[in-house]
Structures are given as C-alpha cells and as structure tokens.
Amino acid sequence: MSAFMDRVGRMDRRWIYLAIALAVIIPLIARLSFPVITTPIVQNIFDKIDGMPEGSRMILSADFGPSTVPENMPMLQAVLRHALQKKLKVYLLTLWATGIPQLDAVEQNVLAKDFPDRLAGQDWVNLGYKAGNQGVINAAFSDFPGAFPVDSKGRDVRTLPIMEGVKRIADFNLIICIGSGFPGTKEWIQFGGDPSHVPVACGVTAVEAPLLYPYYPRQLLGLMGGLQGAAEYEAVLVKHYPEYEARSQEAIQRMGPQTVAHLVIIAFIVLGNLAFFAGGEWRGKRA
Amino acid sequence: MIRVTLPVLLTSVIGLLLVAAFFFRGMDRVNSDLSEYFNIIAAVAFILGGGNLVRMHLDKVQRRRPGWPYSIVTVVAFLFTLIAGLFKIGNAQGWTGPVEAQGSWFNFTYDAMFNPLQATMFSLLAFFVASASYRAFRARNVEATLLLGAALIILLGRTFVGGLLTSWLPERLAFLSIPNLSNWIMSTVNLAGARAIIIGIGLGVISTSLKIILGIERSYLGGRES
Amino acid sequence: MRHIWKNPRVLLALVAAIILLVFLPRVVAHFDTRHTNLFAVLLIVGGAILFYTFRAQQGVKYFVRKIPGIAAIEEAVGRATEMGRPVLYVAGTQDLDNVQTVAGITILSSVAKRVAEYDAHLEMPTSRSLVMTTARETAKESYLAAGRPDAYNEEHIYYVTDEQFGFVAYVNGYMVRQRPATCIYMGAFFAESLIFAETGHSIGAIQIAGTAQPQQLPFFVAACDYTLIGEELFATSAYLSQDPKLIGSLRGQDFGKAFVMLFILLGSILSTLALLFKSGALTVLAHWVQAFFTIKSS
C-alpha cells in the first residue's frame, strides 16, 4: 500500500494532463452548465451602468489580446450590450496593438447584430489603437481628442457628433477597462480615473484580479475577475434583460468545464496529500 | 571615460527631468513625449533585432546545424508576414487601407495562424496549473497546510459546488459558507499580503531608480567603474 | 583634489546647483503644491537611501541577511558546468523602460561573470531588441572582467520575438531540446511564468526566479527551486557584487520600509481609537496621516 501510494505521489504528469483535457472536453461537448450567482463586486458595475442616465459617456477600453479572449471577450460583449441597452454613448478604444481585432469583433457581433440602429460617430465610436501605453492615458487626461485624433476608419474625431463636449477624461462618466496585463486597469486608475475623479471598473483575467483588490472599492467601483466574473455579469444582465439570454451565454457555458476542471484539480490535490501521508514521505519532509 | 560617463549623464538628466515633471506645473507633456521617443527608439531597434534573427537562422541553415529546417520555417514566416504587412497585399483599399483590413493576407495570417497559435500556448497553462498544484499543495508544514486550506476554499468558492456544500449552514453562521470565506480570503488576507508585497516592490523600484539616475548602479552599462 | 572635477557626479551636482540657484524663484513659483506631501516622502525616502549609500562608501558595514535564491546562483552555475549543459537566462519579457528588466540585466552582469569564471555556457534569448543590445554589452564586459574575453560569443544572446507566446514557444522548445541544467528567470513576466517554470521542472533543471510582478510570484514559488520575491530582485545586484554603495542603498530602502510601517501602525491605531472613543481630534489626526500619503488631483 505504501509503495502504491508512493507511486501515486510521483505520478507521471501526463495522467494529470489527460484528466484535465477530459474534464474540459466532456462538459464542453455535453454543454454542461451550472447556476451562477452574482457577487457584490460584479453587481456594483451592473448597478452603476444601469443607473446612468441616457447619453452618459463611457470609455470602454479593450486592452487584451487573442490569448485571453475566452475570459475577456464575454465581459466586453456583456458590458457593451448593457451600455447600449441603456443608450449610453460608448467610446471604444484599445491600448494594445492586438486589441484592434477584439474591437472589430464586438463591432460585428454586438453592434451590427444587436444594435443595428445605433449610428457610428453619434451613438458609439471606435477610436482604435493608440501606441504609448500609459502615456496615451496621460495625454488624454488633458486633451482627449489630441490623444485620439482619428477613429478606426480614419475620420477626424472633431467632426464626429459624439465627440462634442469631450475635451478631457474628466468629461466622461465612467471608464471600464477590459484587460489582461500592461497597460491595463492599473494605468487607467493611476493616470485616468483617479486624477480626474471618474469612476473606474474593470474586467480582468483571474490571475490579475487579486492584484486589483487593493483598489476596491475606493479607486475601483467593481471588478469582474476571470471567467467567473464574466459569467456573473452575464447572469445579472440576462436576469434584468431576458432578451439577451440567447446571445449572452458564452461565459456561463464555459463555467461548466471550468467548474469540472476545478473539481478535478481539487481531487488531485487531495490524492497528492493522501499519497504524501500514506507513502511515508511526510516523515522526512517535516520542517 | 566617455563610454560610461555620457550614458550616465544622459540617464541622470532625463531621469531627473521625468521626476521633476511630476512636481512642477507646465511639464505635463514631458512624460508622454519621452514615452513617444522611447517607442520610436524601440521601433528602430527592432530592425537590429529582426536583422539579427534572420542572420542567425540563415547561418544555422547554411551550416546545417541541428534543427535547421525549422530555421527555414522561421525565416519564411518572418519575411512573409513582413512583406504582406508592408505592402498590404490583398487589401481592398490598397496601400491607403489599414494593415489589418479584412481580406488582406496579413489579416488572414493573423486570424488563421497567429490567433490559434497564441491561444494554444496560453491554454498550456490549464495543464500546468494542475500539475503544479498537484506537486506544490502538500501539507509539509504549518504554512503549507494553511496554503493548502486557502487554496481548497478558493477553488471551491469559485464554483457553485462551494455554495452547495455549505448551503445547510444557518443564517448566523453564513459567514462560514465557502463562497463567503473565499471572498474574505481574497478581500482581507490576500489584500494584506498583496499590499505588503506592492509596498516592498515600490520601495525597491524607488531605490533602484534612484541608483540608476544618480549613477550609483552601472552594471547594466557593462560593469565598468570610472 | 584636482581630479574631483573629472568625477561626473561632482560635475552633475555642480551643474544642477547652478541651474537651481539661477532659476530658484521661478522653480518655486512653478512647484505644484498639491504634491508637497509626496515631495516630502520622496525627500525622506530618497534622502535615506543617499545617506546610507554615502555612509557605506565611508566604510560603515551593513548587514544583509542571506537570501537563499541569490546564494544558489553560484551553486547553479557550478552544476551546469559539471553537467556540461547550458545556463539559460531570461531577463523578463518586457523592454528596457521597465525597471525589472534593468534589474534583470544588472543581475546578468554577475551571472555572466560566474559563467565566465566557471567556463560554462550562457544562453540568453531576449524578447526585445534593446534588451538584446544591452545584454550583449553587459555580458561582454563581465567576461572581460572575469579575464575570459575569448569565451564570450555574442551569438548566444539573441533576439527571438516581441510576441509573448512566440517567445514562450521558442524558450520552451529550447529547454526541451537542449535541456539546460540551470534556468534563471529575472525580470518582468506575465502569463509565461508558469509555462517556463513547469517546463524547466520537467527537464530537471535547477530554477531560480525573481520578479516584482506580484501575480506571477505564486507560480514561480510553486514551480521553481528558489524565488526572489519582489524587492529581493532589486537587492540581488547589491548582494552579488557586495559593492558597499549598493548595500548602503539597501539599508536606505529598509529605512523607507520602516517609515511606511510606522505610519501604517500609527494610522491604524488612530483610526481604531477614533472609532472606539468617537473622538473628533483623533479622527482629524487619522485623516491627516491618510492624507499625507494621498496623491491629490485637480
């Protein structure tokens, strides 16, 4: 028994990889999903957008690349749907070169499909990508049109109706950053939201989320952490606006495989500890 | 002397200027302008890096070093992407359109190759997290046991199973439910630890930056002392 | 005394003093008073760092606790030499404008010197062209300082790609094919940290990591043999070189930490007492302590 548990403790990692692969593939194929409860930290973002009057200005920054699309794209789409539902003026932009396709994707998947009546340049604008990391936010702090002189189609922003009255970041009512690294939420808080007293909310990957808790709730009004956060926002959006139930399910569905994978990891951790104690390894390892 | 003195002087002047820009009015653009200059230098430096990459792989092919066929793939992929992007091949708007326009060769390369490859590499993390957790979360001592407990609570708390397991708890003990414990660990314990590490890192950054600006630290220049 | 004018720091201080004196009235008029508190903190912390650096230069010895990760670097390089396998060094995946990358290059200086002394092989793929250029200069000087300029080969420090996962794919492939005996990761990392560390573990390499990215620290701690946490990365250069000036600056850094800890304690006690006794005076004091460390905006 001891020898067997010792072998379990030194299991070839490929068995673990196989178990994880099955834990993700099977729920995906079976479309397994579980109920999602929205936590206060995500609810705050929803309540803020839901409570903003029509015509309020919102910056929505897509600061992520293809690698984190599964986590960040559902957040971006859900927040955009909600903002457009509330008839807010949405200013899409990105500080990542790889964020351009993400903005194109939401234009096609959300704006064109769900809100075809909304006019570009009037109800929403895609300001595209601007190089310079936090320098762009710094520049936009005092001169927003100067920092983003043209939109993604090359049109001078000063000719667009949506840019009327927009001179600096302080002229906005909310900043939401959907991001996964640098530049991202921290830079928007430090250089944009905090100095100009504009509320900031964010949606980040699960790895980034713990680092942003120090900013909550003073500098950050809400935080969507990882796929769980995206699923929570989708759940509360669908609860209040059932018309989006069919279109806003990506994160909720992906939580099925994530939940099963978490349980498999927990099982392996427990197995590893059982092997550690039963195999006698702990006698030599106690520090 | 000039080889070390000039870079040190330049670093000092620019560093002090950037620090001063934060404390004095009328210097708002210094930070953003210098960031732009850095971007320009980095972009020009890319030519150096790209040239080195091509030269290195062509050398590998020429000398038939192990793995040389992959060097051909690297060079071909590099040149293809560079030419497709530079000349905007396949762009409906030609040279005036954006480089990533739909239908362009560059856009196809991005959607059909870059995206899936990047997603594949990122998804390795799912497997590595599992194997690292299996190896690392062993109750070897008190600290490791606390870490193990916290990890289990948070892993369960991020799923509906956590709520289900402790749904039987009465109202007055609701704070002991796994989702609430998970939130408490993240917003109190983790917060304290994260803040402490961030403060330490901040002090380290101040110290290192001061040393570099004032020329005390020069190892990055090549270790020569003047 | 005649040579004092050739000292660049003296020259710089002199130029700065002249400029300051000439422009002092204008400087004072343009000072942004919203940041007075921050300026005071900068003077206190920065002043402490300079003070202790100066004292160390005068010959005062300061104690630095043993950091296992740094002490292991020599052992790790020796292991690579014995096994006849390379030392893989990755100075992060960010550019030179990131202070962690500069710290990584600084540590490279000491690591390259050890590698040269032990006649091992150093391999350093980089993710940025500027980092490649700087690393080459640094390594070259280190080999020269070790008396082994002949052993230096700039082809071993090369640029791969700016793209995060392209770089990860290359480094992982290198690890699996060449099986370095030692993997050293010093700098800014993001999602690639766990991928590097797990792959390194799978090939049996001894791994030493150091980063000031708090969200990546858990992955390095779980998968690497030694991890330098946060500020330890910035202390490594001082520890390895044993340069008195650098060790003095560590002392100044610790003074800054003590200063912050004092105010955290003070603020916590004042806030708690203000709540308990509902005292207006204590509340005002607690707010003052908080405001001292607040960045004011317009």
Side-chain angles (χ1 to χ4, degrees):
Chain A
M1 177 68 171
S2 181
F4 170 73
M5 290 310 277
D6 198 43
R7 274 176 58 196
V8 167
R10 291 177 219 281
M11 190 194 310
D12 190 324
R13 65 187 69 219
R14 286 172 291 187
W15 288 114
I16 303 173
Y17 297 160
L18 180 64
I20 292 291
L22 292 172
V24 172
I25 292 169
I26 294 173
L28 260 179
I29 295 171
R31 298 181 77 82
L32 189 66
S33 71
F34 300 103
V36 177
I37 298 165
T38 307
T39 51
I41 201 171
V42 174
Q43 185 73 41
N44 287 349
I45 306 175
F46 182 88
D47 291 342
K48 177 67 183 173
I49 295 177
D50 218 46
M52 283 163 74
E54 191 178 311
S56 300
R57 298 190 188 105
M58 184 180 95
I59 291 175
L60 185 54
S61 187
D63 301 326
F64 61 97
S67 55
T68 58
V69 157
E71 276 180 289
N72 289 138
M73 187 58 84
M75 296 170 185
L76 181 65
Q77 291 182 342
V79 164
L80 181 59
R81 277 196 183 96
H82 191 196
L84 291 168
Q85 168 69 28
K86 298 300 295 182
K87 294 196 169 77
L88 307 185
K89 289 192 198 294
V90 180
Y91 299 72
L92 295 163
L93 56 93
T94 178
L95 302 177
W96 283 42
T98 48
I100 301 169
Q102 323 317 330
L103 294 178
D104 291 342
V106 290
E107 268 196 55
Q108 284 165 24
N109 298 334
V110 178
L111 285 155
K113 286 196 175 136
D114 296 345
F115 302 93
D117 53 320
R118 302 300 164 90
L119 299 171
Q122 191 167 302
D123 303 311
W124 63 272
V125 65
N126 182 351
L127 296 166
Y129 163 66
K130 187 78 166 96
N133 301 331
Q134 72 273 22
V136 176
I137 307 174
N138 225 11
F141 173 74
S142 49
D143 182 10
F144 191 87
F148 294 95
V150 294
D151 73 352
S152 61
K153 303 275 186 291
R155 294 176 294 189
D156 185 348
V157 297
R158 290 184 168 86
T159 64
L160 303 176
I162 197 174
M163 291 300 288
E164 212 176 289
V166 174
K167 291 189 173 52
R168 56 186 71 83
I169 285 185
D171 295 327
F172 288 87
N173 303 104
L174 180 65
I175 299 169
I176 295 191
C177 170
I178 308 293
S180 67
F182 173 85
T185 304
K186 234 172 45 140
E187 286 66 43
W188 276 108
I189 294 172
Q190 287 174 354
F191 298 96
D194 205 43
S196 55
H197 298 296
V198 175
V200 178
C202 70
V204 295
T205 53
V207 162
E208 287 279 319
L211 197 62
L212 293 168
Y213 272 89
Y215 296 101
Y216 174 77
R218 279 173 56 107
Q219 288 109 330
L220 204 57
L221 75 94
L223 192 162
M224 291 176 281
L227 200 58
Q228 172 78 17
E232 288 178 22
Y233 200 93
E234 283 185 347
V236 72
L237 178 70
V238 163
K239 185 178 164 192
H240 286 82
Y241 303 99
E243 59 266 38
Y244 297 122
E245 187 166 355
R247 303 268 302 144
S248 210
Q249 288 286 317
E250 260 183 71
I252 293 172
Q253 279 168 9
R254 285 177 195 159
M255 276 306 294
Q258 176 157 308
T259 301
V260 176
H262 275 208
L263 294 173
V264 167
I265 291 173
I266 290 170
F268 273 114
I269 291 173
V270 169
L271 190 66
N273 276 280
L274 282 173
F276 180 69
F277 285 103
E281 199 185 335
W282 64 279
R283 287 192 195 89
K285 293 271 188 196
R286 285 268 167 172
Chain B
M1 185 187 139
I2 197 87
R3 205 162 167 270
V4 175
T5 308
L6 189 60
V8 169
L9 265 173
L10 206 60
T11 308
S12 300
V13 169
I14 303 288
L16 288 169
L17 186 66
L18 282 167
V19 172
F22 183 81
F23 292 104
F24 292 91
R25 280 184 287 265
M27 296 176 77
D28 303 328
R29 287 191 66 100
V30 170
N31 203 335
S32 54
D33 284 353
L34 285 173
S35 297
E36 297 265 330
Y37 302 158
F38 177 82
N39 288 340
I40 294 167
I41 295 169
V44 173
F46 170 73
I47 299 169
L48 190 70
N52 176 255
L53 178 84
V54 171
R55 189 173 62 82
M56 204 178 83
H57 284 281
L58 285 178
D59 183 67
K60 206 169 167 186
V61 171
Q62 191 188 17
R63 290 172 199 266
R64 295 289 191 269
R65 289 214 188 108
W68 66 267
Y70 299 110
S71 290
I72 297 177
V73 175
T74 306
V75 172
V76 166
F78 175 80
L79 292 173
F80 174 84
T81 314
L82 185 67
I83 291 166
L86 260 180
F87 297 103
K88 297 184 183 173
I89 300 174
N91 273 34
Q93 295 159 293
W95 281 38
T96 57
V99 71
E100 71 281 357
Q102 287 290 335
S104 64
W105 287 23
F106 189 85
N107 186 262
F108 172 77
T109 309
Y110 185 89
D111 285 342
M113 294 181 216
F114 180 78
N115 262 353
L117 285 169
Q118 204 184 48
T120 304
M121 288 305 300
F122 194 70
S123 49
L124 283 178
L125 281 173
F127 302 99
F128 287 156
V129 156
S131 63
S133 303
Y134 177 72
R135 220 178 45 250
F137 290 130
R138 304 276 170 97
R140 290 184 180 86
N141 49 40
V142 174
E143 292 89 1
T145 309
L146 282 172
L147 181 67
L148 170 64
L152 286 174
I153 290 170
I154 293 187
L155 275 169
L156 283 171
R158 305 298 278 171
T159 67
F160 86 103
V161 173
L164 204 66
L165 283 173
T166 47
S167 57
W168 54 270
L169 284 170
E171 191 60 40
R172 66 178 183 278
L173 291 175
F175 66 94
L176 286 175
S177 73
I178 290 177
N180 285 341
L181 274 179
S182 173
N183 283 337
W184 179 80
I185 290 173
M186 290 298 287
S187 61
T188 307
V189 183
N190 161 71
L191 183 63
R195 277 190 175 142
I197 291 177
I198 290 167
I199 289 170
I201 288 169
L203 287 165
V205 168
I206 292 172
S207 175
T208 304
S209 305
L210 261 176
K211 284 186 289 191
I212 290 168
I213 287 172
L214 297 175
I216 298 169
E217 174 71 79
R218 297 184 196 180
S219 319
Y220 65 98
L221 286 175
R224 272 209 198 123
E225 296 286 332
S226 66
Chain C
M1 188 65 187
R2 277 180 300 177
H3 298 297
I4 197 167
W5 305 110
K6 289 185 185 172
N7 185 328
R9 275 204 289 278
V10 170
L11 284 171
L12 182 69
L14 199 63
V15 166
I18 291 169
I19 291 171
L20 204 64
L21 279 168
V22 169
F23 292 100
L24 190 62
R26 207 184 282 185
V27 161
V28 168
H30 278 83
F31 184 78
D32 191 342
T33 50
R34 292 173 302 163
H35 297 140
T36 309
N37 56 331
L38 213 58
F39 192 67
V41 172
L42 180 66
L43 285 180
I44 292 168
V45 175
I49 292 169
L50 290 174
F51 172 74
Y52 285 107
T53 305
F54 178 72
R55 291 255 297 173
Q57 224 171 342
Q58 299 296 310
V60 176
K61 295 256 182 286
Y62 292 115
F63 168 74
V64 180
R65 68 171 170 85
K66 187 174 174 199
I67 301 174
I70 304 174
I73 288 177
E74 179 133 9
E75 174 205 326
V77 173
R79 180 179 189 257
T81 312
E82 279 169 29
M83 294 173 81
R85 302 221 297 253
V87 173
L88 175 70
Y89 192 95
V90 183
T93 55
Q94 298 301 295
D95 216 329
L96 268 184
D97 59 341
N98 189 310
V99 72
Q100 293 177 68
T101 309
V102 178
I105 299 291
T106 304
I107 297 165
L108 170 70
S109 172
S110 300
V111 171
K113 195 157 176 244
R114 295 278 190 290
V115 166
E117 285 165 0
Y118 280 74
D119 201 21
H121 167 68
L122 177 72
E123 188 86 6
M124 184 178 170
T126 66
S127 181
R128 297 283 192 269
S129 316
L130 278 178
V131 174
M132 174 192 79
T133 318
T134 314
R136 281 181 172 179
E137 284 295 313
T138 303
K140 187 177 171 187
E141 291 303 326
S142 297
Y143 273 71
L144 190 66
R148 293 297 316 277
D150 53 299
Y152 172 71
N153 184 349
E154 69 169 21
E155 297 296 326
H156 292 153
I157 299 172
Y158 48 90
Y159 167 78
V160 178
T161 175
D162 276 45
E163 172 45 43
Q164 182 184 19
F165 287 104
F167 183 69
V168 170
Y170 174 84
V171 174
N172 270 21
Y174 175 85
M175 279 187 196
V176 167
R177 286 189 302 272
Q178 305 299 335
R179 306 184 77 83
T182 299
C183 297
I184 302 176
Y185 317 112
M186 297 284 174
F189 294 89
F190 290 93
E192 62 276 359
S193 57
L194 184 62
I195 303 178
F196 285 160
E198 274 297 293
T199 308
H201 184 270
S202 73
I203 61 168
I206 184 170
Q207 300 189 97
I208 304 167
T211 185
Q213 297 289 121
Q215 63 272 44
Q216 306 306 325
L217 284 168
F219 300 122
F220 277 142
V221 168
C224 291
D225 298 286
Y226 301 95
T227 306
L228 302 175
I229 296 175
E231 61 196 309
E232 289 177 348
L233 171 70
F234 302 113
T236 305
S237 166
Y239 193 100
L240 283 172
S241 65
Q242 289 295 312
D243 183 342
K245 295 197 299 290
L246 298 180
I247 292 182
S249 73
L250 284 186
R251 179 76 163 199
Q253 205 174 307
D254 282 345
F255 176 89
K257 207 187 293 187
F259 173 75
V260 167
M261 279 163 63
L262 176 71
F263 272 88
I264 288 173
L265 211 58
L266 189 66
S268 308
I269 292 170
L270 284 171
S271 301
T272 309
L273 291 175
L275 267 172
L276 280 174
F277 297 108
K278 294 188 178 31
S279 162
L282 285 173
T283 307
V284 166
L285 267 174
H287 282 154
W288 182 86
V289 169
Q290 189 183 3
F292 188 69
F293 290 94
T294 302
I295 301 175
K296 295 178 190 67
S297 48
S298 53

